[in-house]
Amino acid sequence: EDESLKPDSISYNYVIDAYAKSGLNDTADRAEDVFNRMEVNFLAGDDDLRPTTITLASLTNAWSRLEDAEAKSKLKRIRDLISENRDAILKGRRETFDAGRIINREV
């Protein structure tokens, strides 16, 4: 396998950001799907797919374009995630960074 063709967090960030800016009807859901794939692979040990503050900013951008209750709930969860896990996110500690589960959990 050619490692130069393997996607990294920058690649995923571009895709998430493109969805966030696309204006499609299901933009935020698509951006979140990409984020969830990224997170699963990172938690499985792929350090090149560590979500970054840019990842979370792009995901925030995607959800902020919607005005429904789900979007507001997702945005609150992302803000809470950033506040509660700032150090873990910035350092990429796998054991405490669990963004997808926080974003998708039931309130």
Side-chain angles (χ1 to χ4, degrees), residues 19-45:
Y19 276 129
K21 293 177 179 174
S22 72
L24 298 172
N25 290 337
D26 56 353
T27 290
D29 289 323
R30 288 179 181 222
E32 189 170 316
D33 287 345
V34 173
F35 169 77
N36 288 336
R37 277 183 265 142
M38 179 183 191
E39 184 205 16
V40 164
N41 289 312
F42 169 68
L43 292 172

Side-chain angles (χ1 to χ4, degrees), residues 6-17 34 38-39 42 46-56 58:
K6 182 179 168 274
D8 58 12
S9 63
I10 295 170
S11 306
Y12 275 77
N13 287 345
Y14 276 120
V15 174
I16 293 168
D17 189 57
V34 173
M38 179 183 191
E39 184 205 16
F42 169 68
D46 189 342
D47 290 331
D48 292 336
L49 294 180
R50 176 173 63 93
T52 66
T53 54
I54 293 170
T55 310
L56 296 174
S58 295

Side-chain angles (χ1 to χ4, degrees), residues 1 5 11 19 32 35-36 45 53 55 57 59 62 64 73 77-78 87 94 99:
E1 182 175 310
L5 299 177
S11 306
Y19 276 129
E32 189 170 316
F35 169 77
N36 288 336
T53 54
T55 310
L59 195 58
S64 68
S73 176
R77 291 179 188 147
I78 294 169
D87 291 338
R94 200 173 280 104

